[in-house]
Amino acid sequence: MGEVPITRLILSATLFLILTSCSLAPFSPNTSGQSYGAGKVKASVGNVNSTYHIKIGTGVSESMDIGFVMEFGAISTSALFFKYSFMNNKTGLSNAFEFGYGSTDTTKFYYSGLISSLAFTESFELFLNPRINIVSTDSSDIELGDENGNIIINEYDVTYLQLTSGMNLWFSENVGMTLYAIYFAGNDIETVQDTTTGFSFMFKY
């Protein structure tokens, strides 16, 4: 399967997911400032905030990645994401901008942020991902005041900050794991506990 068919597959699946499921911005982060690389594919599966997530993306150039993420459980949502690495190193410091979007008839959200990572080796990397989420939803997708995992939403139109920090561990060239903690801040969002934790198994080829 070549670069063009992979890209078309991701875009088609993403459009389907965005049209069928959406409530809040995804919790699972992008975990590296490094790009995937042109024609390369990266996938991950894991759990965060009482939701399971599946993410797949491809490098459309040496610096630009696109992909989609789907989460289901306490909250169901899906999004198309873009990532542009403006500092891109296999070891050392890497930095990238990200943008995500998802919508249905009743919900729409955007998010944008920065991903900074420091790779000590090609097997061990620390990362920091601050981003802002802007969500407009209604009662058909979420109930105000309910606990959705660790998250409580008190308004249907909400803007909140999300800060994720964690580490990536690669067991081989193609298989790895990421562990992270998320902190939320905003006037109309609450957390039951201060920290939301998550993990993913990662695969790249």
Side-chain angles (χ1 to χ4, degrees), residues 7-205:
T7 303
R8 288 178 179 171
L9 175 63
I10 289 173
L11 290 174
S12 297
T14 300
L15 288 173
F16 173 77
L17 290 170
I18 288 174
L19 289 172
T20 57
S21 176
C22 188
S23 56
L24 287 178
F27 298 105
S28 54
N30 281 308
T31 64
S32 178
Q34 299 180 49
S35 67
Y36 303 158
K40 300 295 181 65
V41 174
K42 181 179 175 182
S44 63
V45 294
N47 182 278
V48 59
N49 191 48
S50 301
T51 67
Y52 296 96
H53 59 269
I54 301 170
K55 180 181 292 185
I56 186 167
T58 187
V60 295
S61 72
E62 287 302 323
S63 299
M64 175 70 78
D65 304 331
I66 65 169
F68 72 88
V69 55
M70 178 177 65
E71 297 183 355
F72 49 94
I75 290 176
S76 296
T77 191
S78 59
L80 177 68
F81 68 84
F82 302 85
K83 188 178 83 173
Y84 177 75
S85 299
F86 58 91
M87 184 181 292
N88 197 8
N89 299 301
K90 289 186 178 298
T91 58
L93 183 65
S94 295
N95 290 297
F97 294 116
E98 69 170 342
F99 175 79
Y101 172 78
S103 70
T104 62
D105 290 340
T106 55
T107 295
K108 181 180 295 184
F109 64 76
Y110 307 86
Y111 64 85
S112 62
L114 176 70
I115 309 154
S116 292
S117 61
L118 181 62
F120 294 90
T121 68
E122 292 190 15
S123 300
F124 178 65
E125 182 179 36
L126 299 177
F127 71 90
L128 190 67
N129 175 211
R131 79 184 198 198
I132 186 168
N133 302 289
I134 302 171
V135 178
S136 178
T137 187
D138 71 10
S139 59
S140 62
D141 285 328
I142 199 164
E143 290 295 328
L144 298 183
D146 281 1
E147 293 182 12
N148 300 282
N150 192 34
I151 304 299
I152 300 171
I153 300 298
N154 295 319
E155 295 290 343
Y156 289 124
D157 294 316
V158 59
T159 298
Y160 58 98
L161 300 176
Q162 176 176 330
L163 176 64
T164 307
S165 60
M167 66 178 71
N168 300 316
L169 303 168
W170 288 97
F171 309 124
S172 69
E173 183 179 354
N174 303 108
V175 179
M177 185 178 187
T178 183
L179 303 168
Y180 54 88
I182 306 176
Y183 305 88
F184 296 94
N187 291 331
D188 300 314
I189 187 171
E190 299 177 36
T191 53
V192 181
Q193 299 177 342
D194 291 340
T195 305
T196 302
T197 57
F199 73 91
S200 299
F201 292 102
M202 303 180 293
F203 310 91
K204 59 183 179 180
Y205 52 95

